[in-house]
């Protein structure tokens, strides 16, 4: 019974199988990913570590389907909840004599169209550089609201409609219920009965705030009612609420704008609530600001909020703290940890800072030259590193400032002409003849602990 | 923001220096009708000396000259198509040119921005190559050649567009608001016709506007298509565009909202140079199509070595450029929240 539950908890959301990706450039073909095997399970934080250029970002972006036109999906697959979205790209590569970025871009367009349905909804991503991740011309509230507009217009519509449907006595009654029992079944039943479910997260966002006096909260909640609505917009919002689908705005010329504006406005409200829940002060003003008015740390919080607002199943964090200074780094890490507690998502946390990974991860995968060379539970990786490269990384930690993965002798192989055998052979103190001949597979060396190295083949451990 | 005032002053200094490279005589030539002789001529020279202080040091003279310019005393012009004060020539000829240029600028904007976006999004595909080669071909061709090709196609073969002037003369023969090729009150025939409710003339004037403005547009459009394509390609690689995709925003919105608006910023900045190119083109094109605008008058002024016309034109074009870039700055600031005054 218990182990069954464990299993379903551990079922993977993303499964990367023997994935190969090559970048076609003027200076040659860079073989960035050379057979990645990896899975990301429900509710876990998977840390990814490896030197600069080993393909961590490439892997993260490939899972998102954010593949540049000059990148060929050469082999393998990435399953997201069982579905391989990148198959058309691989099929194109396999069936063409000469890879052309412009043809690849055509296929990519289709992939983008398919994946836009799950991006921001099932999977989302936070980039490394908060200064360039936000659109400089749009208010941050709009940029958050956009996610809701395209994925949950129904929620926005129902929030707006519920404020027009609710009567003063309804909100008063809800405050009373909350004061007596908190947000329990009775609270939800009342909302359902009055057809004002859209009020739920608005009320709770106020109720859960820690910076307000109870009386003030009650006043604010009581005000969530009796907001009149344009009757034309109302009809459309009701359809949107029912179908959770945006209408074709171009078919409803003038009123389309009104409806869209109502939705976006509601998105700003929800964005500000969400930022408030993340403990960001003055969130109701912040949503009307432009990125250049915010600091790097604030921007990264906005980016994280944007990625999280739809409670996706998986969030890929590509060095979310590397571009920030140390104190801000700590705050952002704290935020991510809190989110991990409150929203039941999985995380893929990319970092070249092992001390950060030690803090946040459940499992850790070590990448080298476009492959996962070792993966296992955090403790196993730190206490019993198996792969010679991992061992060297662990030894390097205490001697290197800021724990960066730099202090290892030797060069990464030229990725235009990777060696036939083990990629690490040139730098490996244990290299054997077989290491030059073929690539080692990932083999099991312990409970949920895998390594790709010939030292462990043949049951040695 | 207020930088345009020193720019304008700098412009007047340059024009003044240009005038004086040839000595005082050139300035005199701007203000003195060559038809005057004898005592009358001497008297006018004396009057001009009163105003311009020809014997003072040159930097003092500049301020006297500037004072005259500010008072609207831009000298006189003497050409076969017009003789009289420069300002009056500008008042009569410039509106037509303005109409032509604005019409061409709108055409350029409406056509090249979408083309630039399209070529960037469809990079290296056949349509991209065709558009790029096509627009570069027009760019490489001299204006008059484009004009002549259009004339052959649309006027000689297809016979659907007029090639000459602003209107069919028989239509305006006895209109009360049209004399000697000039319409009243705005001097722009199309607009005047609309003001007077004469739709036949307005339609005809519009037809006459098509070929010159299309020629003008084709000649410079390539520059804008290229620029837009380049900035768009750059923007499409930016993190925030990928982040918009990562949010699940539909590709159409990614391109038209997130990428395009950002890619437009450098294009707006450079649109000023394009307007400069248009002004250069106008001089040639008005000649090709016998379109009575400032270009026709300036061509005449150059042929006849008419100092008043040449310097007046230089000053006018300079002012237009400064005003255009001021307007573009304002538009830029409206779009980009990072710019504040
Ligand atoms: N668009 C691209 N075109 C060509 N080569 C690319 C492109 N993007 C990445 N690469 C190359 O692919 C390799 C892997 O890059 P990637 O960004 O995935 O590394 P990384 O592990 O994230 O490194 P870092 O720690 O520096 O972020 C690098 O050698 C890089 O130069
Ligand atoms: S496979 Fe061989 S070369 Fe590669 S890490 Fe293991 S021992 Fe070293
Ligand atoms: Mg990276």
């Amino acid at each position: 019974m218990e182990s069954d539950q464990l299993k379903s908890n551990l079922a993977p959301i993303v499964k990367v199988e023997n994935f190969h990706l090559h970048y076609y450039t003027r200076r040659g073909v860079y073989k960035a990913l050379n057979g990645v095997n990896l899975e990301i399970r429900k509710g876990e934080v998977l840390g990814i570590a490896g030197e600069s250029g080993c393909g961590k970002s490439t892997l993260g972006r490939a899972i998102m389907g954010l593949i540049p036109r000059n990148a060929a999906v050469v082999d393998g697959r990435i399953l997201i909840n069982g579905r391989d979205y990148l198959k058309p790209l691989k099929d194109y590569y396999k069936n063409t004599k000469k890879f052309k970025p412009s043809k690849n871009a055509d296929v990519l367009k289709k992939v983008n169209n398919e994946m836009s349905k799950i991006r921001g909804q099932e999977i989302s991503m936070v980039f490394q550089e908060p200064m360039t991740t936000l659109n400089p011309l749009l208010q941050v509230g709009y940029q958050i609201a956009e996610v809701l507009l395209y994925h949950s217009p129904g929620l926005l519509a129902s929030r707006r409609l519920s404020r027009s449907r609710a009567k003063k006595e309804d909100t008063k009654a809800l405050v009373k219920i909350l004061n007596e029992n908190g947000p329990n079944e009775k609270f939800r039943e009342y909302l359902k009965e009055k057809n004002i479910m859209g009020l739920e997260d608005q009320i709770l966002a106020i109720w859960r705030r820690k910076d307000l006096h109870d009386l003030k909260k009650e006043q604010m909640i009581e005000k969530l009612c009796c907001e009149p609505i344009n009757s034309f917009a109302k009809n459309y919002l009701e359809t949107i609420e029912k179908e959770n689908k945006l209408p074709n705005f171009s078919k409803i010329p003038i009123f389309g704008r009104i409806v869209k504006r109502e939705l976006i406005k509601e998105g700003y409200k929800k964005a500000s609530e969400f930022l408030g829940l993340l403990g960001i002060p003055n969130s109701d003003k912040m949503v009307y600001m432009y990125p250049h008015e915010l600091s790097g740390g604030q921007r990264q919080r906005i980016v994280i909020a944007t990625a999280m607002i739809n409670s996706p199943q998986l969030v890929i964090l590509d060095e979310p703290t590397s571009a920030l200074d140390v104190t801000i780094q700590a705050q952002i890490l704290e935020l991510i940890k809190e989110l991990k507690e409150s929203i039941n998502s999985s995380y893929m946390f990319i970092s070249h800072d092992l001390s950060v990974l030690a803090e946040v991860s459940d499992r850790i995968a070590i990448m080298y030259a476009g492959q996962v060379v070792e993966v296992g539970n955090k403790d196993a990786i730190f206490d019993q590193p198996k792969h010679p490269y991992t061992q060297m990384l662990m030894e390097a930690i205490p001697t290197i400032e800021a724990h960066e993965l730099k202090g290892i002798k030797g060069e990464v192989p030229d990725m235009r002409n990777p060696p036939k055998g083990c990629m690490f052979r040139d730098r490996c103190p244990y290299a054997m003849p077989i290491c030059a001949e073929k690539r080692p597979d990932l083999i099991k060396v312990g409970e949920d602990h895998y390594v790709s190295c010939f030292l462990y083949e043949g049951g040695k451990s | 923001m207020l930088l345009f005032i020193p720019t304008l002053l700098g412009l007047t200094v340059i024009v003044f220096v240009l005038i004086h490279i040839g000595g005082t005589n050139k300035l005199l030539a701007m203000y003195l009708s060559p038809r005057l002789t004898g005592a009358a001529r001497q008297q006018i020279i004396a009057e001009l000396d009163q105003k311009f202080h020809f014997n003072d040091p040159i930097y003092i003279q500049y301020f006297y000259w500037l004072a005259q310019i500010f008072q609207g005393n831009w000298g006189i012009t003497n050409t076969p198509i017009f003789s009289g004060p420069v300002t009056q020539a500008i008042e009569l000829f410039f509106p037509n040119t303005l109409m032509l240029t604005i019409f061409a600028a709108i055409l350029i904007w409406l056509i090249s921005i979408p083309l630039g976006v399209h070529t960037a999004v469809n990079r290296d595909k056949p349509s991209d190559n065709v558009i790029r080669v096509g627009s570069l071909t027009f760019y490489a061709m001299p204006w008059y050649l484009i004009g002549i090709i259009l004339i052959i196609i649309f006027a000689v073969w297809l016979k659907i567009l007029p090639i000459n002037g602003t209107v069919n003369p028989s239509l305006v023969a006895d209109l009360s608001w049209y004399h000697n090729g000039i319409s009243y009150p705005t001097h722009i025939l199309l607009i005047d016709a609309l003001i007077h409710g004469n739709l036949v003339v307005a339609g005809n004037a519009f037809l006459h506007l098509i070929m010159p403005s299309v020629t003008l547009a084709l000649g410079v459009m390539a520059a804008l298509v290229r620029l837009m394509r380049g900035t768009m390609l750059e923007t499409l690689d930016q993190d925030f565009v990928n982040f918009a995709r990562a949010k699940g925003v539909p590709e159409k919105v990614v391109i038209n909202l997130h990428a395009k608006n950002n890619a437009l910023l450098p294009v707006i900045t450079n649109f000023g140079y394009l307007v400069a190119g248009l002004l250069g083109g106008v001089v040639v094109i008005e000649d090709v199509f016998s379109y009575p605008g400032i270009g026709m008058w300036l061509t005449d002024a150059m042929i006849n070595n008419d100092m008043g016309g040449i310097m007046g034109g230089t000053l006018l074009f300079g002012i237009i450029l400064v005003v255009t870039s001021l307007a573009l700055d304002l538009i830029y600031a409206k779009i980009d929240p990072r710019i504040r005054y």
Side-chain angles (χ1 to χ4, degrees):
Chain A
M1 179 72 192
E2 214 181 85
S3 76
D4 266 354
Q5 197 165 0
L6 204 69
K7 239 184 215 152
S8 75
N9 261 342
L10 293 181
I13 292 163
V14 170
K15 215 165 156 54
V16 184
E17 294 172 359
N18 189 32
F19 191 70
H20 289 71
L21 182 142
H22 296 176
Y23 287 116
Y24 279 71
T25 71
R26 243 174 281 160
R27 268 175 263 113
V29 181
Y30 281 87
K31 303 181 171 74
L33 297 179
N34 302 293
V36 176
N37 287 293
L38 198 66
E39 59 180 42
I40 304 168
R41 300 164 187 166
K42 279 204 179 109
E44 76 166 349
V45 180
L46 173 69
I48 308 265
E51 275 164 309
S52 185
C54 70
K56 305 183 294 291
S57 301
T58 303
L59 177 61
R61 286 173 185 245
I63 293 173
M64 291 295 294
L66 297 174
I67 293 175
R69 62 206 298 281
N70 67 329
V73 174
V74 172
D75 203 3
R77 54 185 193 166
I78 296 178
L79 299 173
I80 299 170
N81 288 324
R83 183 161 167 201
D84 181 8
Y85 288 89
L86 304 182
K87 188 163 184 297
L89 289 168
K90 184 174 77 177
D91 290 346
Y92 164 68
Y93 180 83
K94 295 243 163 171
N95 295 326
T96 187
K97 284 205 185 73
K98 189 170 179 303
F99 175 81
K100 279 212 191 88
S102 61
K103 293 265 168 61
N104 199 42
D106 281 340
V107 187
L108 207 52
K109 219 177 259 171
K110 286 187 208 118
V111 172
N112 269 328
N113 268 340
E114 276 306 305
M115 290 200 80
S116 67
K117 290 172 200 151
I118 60 162
R119 290 178 188 153
Q121 172 83 347
E122 288 176 32
I123 51 172
S124 62
M125 183 159 182
V126 172
F127 295 160
Q128 173 168 355
E129 206 13 281
M131 304 312 264
T132 57
T133 309
L134 293 169
N135 187 331
L137 303 187
L138 296 173
Q139 291 176 347
V140 295
Y142 186 92
Q143 303 194 45
I144 303 177
E146 227 180 4
V147 192
L148 298 163
L149 180 69
Y150 291 111
H151 293 301
S152 13
L155 171 74
L156 296 180
S158 110
R159 283 172 56 103
R160 176 66 186 89
L161 287 168
S162 69
R163 283 205 308 284
S164 76
R165 287 179 193 139
K167 309 233 163 39
K168 191 96 194 164
E169 57 269 23
D170 291 330
T171 48
K172 277 210 167 105
L174 285 165
V175 166
K176 195 155 163 260
I177 297 175
L178 277 176
N179 274 334
E180 279 162 12
N181 312 301
N184 66 349
E185 268 314 298
K186 203 169 160 208
F187 174 69
R188 272 189 198 97
E189 264 161 32
Y190 190 95
L191 289 168
K192 213 175 261 164
E193 189 185 314
K194 301 277 175 168
N195 193 17
I196 46 177
M197 282 303 284
L199 281 185
E200 183 177 356
D201 54 339
Q202 303 178 60
I203 293 181
L204 291 184
I206 297 171
W207 189 249
R208 295 206 171 117
R209 275 173 71 165
K210 297 189 184 93
D211 56 335
L212 291 181
H213 191 269
D214 280 355
L215 267 174
K216 175 84 187 153
K217 285 188 195 170
E218 284 172 19
Q219 275 174 1
M220 283 171 74
I221 293 174
E222 278 171 22
K223 273 203 204 114
L224 293 174
C225 77
C226 337
E227 200 177 314
I229 191 167
N230 167 320
S231 71
F232 186 91
K234 186 174 158 217
N235 284 338
Y236 273 98
L237 287 178
E238 274 169 356
T239 323
I240 295 170
E241 181 185 27
K242 238 182 271 139
E243 297 175 359
N244 191 26
K245 222 174 75 192
L246 283 182
N248 187 346
F249 284 120
S250 55
K251 288 219 177 102
I252 29 173
I254 304 160
F255 294 106
R257 294 203 138 189
I258 301 178
V259 175
K260 196 164 176 182
R261 196 168 340 120
E262 285 290 348
L263 290 175
I264 292 277
K265 234 165 67 189
E266 203 53 49
Y268 270 74
K269 280 213 172 83
K270 167 100 182 148
S272 140
E273 275 168 24
F274 190 66
L275 292 174
L277 282 178
L278 298 187
I280 294 169
N282 282 327
S283 59
D284 45 343
K285 292 209 187 70
M286 197 189 248
V287 289
Y288 294 105
M289 292 189 183
Y290 289 94
H292 73 276
E293 296 170 274
L294 305 173
S295 70
Q298 286 172 312
R299 288 192 213 189
Q300 196 64 311
R301 270 171 250 232
I302 299 282
V303 172
I304 291 171
T306 315
M308 300 292 302
I309 195 157
N310 260 333
S311 316
Q313 297 171 22
L314 170 69
V315 185
I316 298 170
L317 301 150
D318 187 358
E319 313 207 25
T321 59
S322 303
L324 304 168
D325 61 46
V326 184
T327 46
I328 310 291
Q329 268 189 28
Q331 291 171 15
I332 296 283
L333 277 185
E334 216 38 57
L335 171 66
I336 292 170
K337 277 197 242 165
E338 265 170 43
L339 278 169
K340 191 181 146 191
E341 298 300 313
S342 58
I343 300 176
N344 187 29
S345 302
S346 309
Y347 298 81
M348 171 168 160
F349 197 113
I350 299 173
S351 176
H352 53 235
D353 187 340
L354 282 170
S355 65
V356 169
L357 290 188
E359 218 175 307
V360 298
S361 316
D362 299 316
R363 287 193 309 140
I364 292 180
I366 308 285
M367 283 185 72
Y368 186 80
Q371 286 177 312
V372 172
V373 294
E374 181 163 2
V375 54
N377 287 325
K378 172 175 75 183
D379 299 333
I381 296 285
F382 275 95
D383 301 340
Q384 302 152 2
K386 298 288 184 194
H387 197 280
Y389 177 63
T390 317
Q391 290 168 357
M392 288 162 90
L393 285 182
M394 294 304 158
E395 278 160 26
I397 291 179
T399 59
I400 306 280
E401 285 248 48
H403 314 282
E404 298 222 353
L405 306 181
K406 279 181 191 154
I408 295 178
K409 266 198 302 218
E411 293 270 327
V412 185
D414 177 4
M415 297 309 284
R416 281 170 292 190
N417 265 313
K420 199 170 83 184
C422 173
M423 295 276 199
F424 191 56
R425 199 178 63 97
D426 286 346
R427 299 162 84 179
C428 181
Y430 312 105
M432 305 170 283
I434 188 182
C435 305
E437 267 152 46
K438 51 180 198 173
R439 297 230 172 114
D441 290 326
L442 266 183
I443 53 166
K444 189 167 177 170
V445 287
E447 178 68 37
D448 210 11
H449 188 175
Y450 298 84
V451 66
S452 96
C453 169
F454 287 118
L455 288 175
Y456 305 95
E457 290 210 357
K460 253 200 284 178
S461 131
Chain B
M1 192 62 221
L2 289 173
L3 213 68
F4 78 99
I5 291 174
T7 318
L8 270 180
L9 286 179
L11 174 74
T12 59
V13 171
I14 292 172
V15 173
F16 184 73
V17 168
L18 283 178
I19 296 170
H20 276 266
I21 285 174
T24 324
N25 279 339
K26 283 225 169 130
L27 187 64
L28 268 181
M30 281 176 65
Y31 287 89
L32 192 61
S33 166
R35 273 177 299 213
L36 287 173
T37 47
R41 184 182 171 88
Q42 290 310 320
Q43 199 202 328
I44 298 280
I45 291 182
E47 273 172 25
L48 286 175
D49 189 40
Q50 285 256 306
K51 286 181 184 154
F52 290 100
H53 297 248
F54 292 132
N55 293 320
D56 280 356
I58 192 116
Y59 55 88
I60 306 263
Q61 281 190 41
Y62 165 72
F63 290 102
Y64 285 112
W65 172 78
L66 194 60
Q68 292 299 320
I69 294 291
F70 272 122
Q71 288 165 32
N73 186 3
W74 285 31
I76 54 167
T77 171
N78 225 314
T79 64
I81 59 169
F82 181 86
S83 56
V86 167
T87 41
Q88 201 182 343
I90 291 174
E91 191 201 319
L92 290 181
F93 292 117
F94 186 58
N96 270 335
T97 303
L98 190 69
M99 185 73 201
L100 179 58
T101 326
I102 289 178
F103 206 74
I106 293 174
L107 266 182
I108 292 170
W109 189 262
L110 288 184
I111 296 174
S112 25
I113 299 303
L115 278 189
V117 171
H118 175 91
T119 49
V121 172
N122 295 289
R123 179 179 171 191
D124 295 337
K125 293 220 205 101
S127 64
D128 175 29
N129 293 332
V130 168
I131 291 168
R132 279 161 72 198
V133 171
S135 61
L136 263 178
T137 314
F138 283 120
Y139 195 58
M141 274 197 239
W143 303 99
Y144 65 84
L145 193 58
I146 304 177
I148 287 170
I149 292 175
L150 287 188
I151 289 175
I152 291 176
I153 296 177
F154 291 101
V156 179
W157 281 356
L158 301 175
K159 296 192 178 29
I160 48 173
L161 288 175
I163 50 169
N164 205 306
T166 53
V167 68
N168 183 345
S170 64
L171 286 177
V172 287
D174 33 43
L175 288 175
S176 61
W177 45 271
Y178 187 92
H179 321 281
N180 294 332
I182 289 161
S183 65
Y184 296 85
T186 65
H187 309 321
I188 300 172
L189 186 62
L190 176 56
I191 292 178
D192 288 335
L194 289 175
I195 289 174
H196 292 96
N198 192 332
L199 290 182
V200 179
V201 173
N204 192 261
F206 179 74
L207 286 183
H208 277 79
L209 204 54
I210 293 178
M211 277 229 275
S213 48
V214 169
T215 310
L216 194 54
L218 282 178
V220 290
M221 226 158 66
L224 204 67
V225 174
R226 235 179 108 90
L227 184 64
M228 187 65 201
R229 180 179 183 272
T231 58
M232 189 71 189
L233 280 179
E234 222 168 88
T235 315
L236 282 173
D237 269 346
Q238 302 265 318
D239 269 354
F240 66 80
V241 172
N242 268 324
F243 189 59
R245 289 197 180 108
K247 291 193 292 190
V249 173
E251 189 68 13
K252 236 192 193 156
V253 181
V254 171
I255 287 167
N256 288 322
L257 176 71
H258 291 271
K260 188 172 120 193
N261 286 354
N262 279 278
L264 272 178
L265 293 178
V267 174
I268 291 171
T269 325
N270 281 291
F271 201 67
Y273 295 107
L274 203 94
V275 172
L278 284 182
L279 289 177
V282 137
V283 176
V284 180
I285 279 160
E286 291 184 350
D287 201 41
V288 172
F289 292 96
S290 315
Y291 185 89
I294 203 123
M296 233 161 94
W297 165 58
L298 284 179
T299 320
D300 249 21
M302 280 186 268
I303 293 169
N304 294 294
N305 203 11
D306 172 55
M307 273 312 281
I310 294 171
M311 286 306 151
T314 313
L315 202 55
L316 176 70
F317 279 18
I319 291 173
I320 294 171
L321 283 184
V322 174
V323 171
T324 318
S325 70
L326 178 74
L328 289 173
D329 279 353
L330 289 175
I331 294 174
Y332 194 104
K334 189 110 185 81
I335 302 182
D336 191 341
R338 286 164 294 189
I339 311 278
R340 252 181 303 186
Y341 297 113

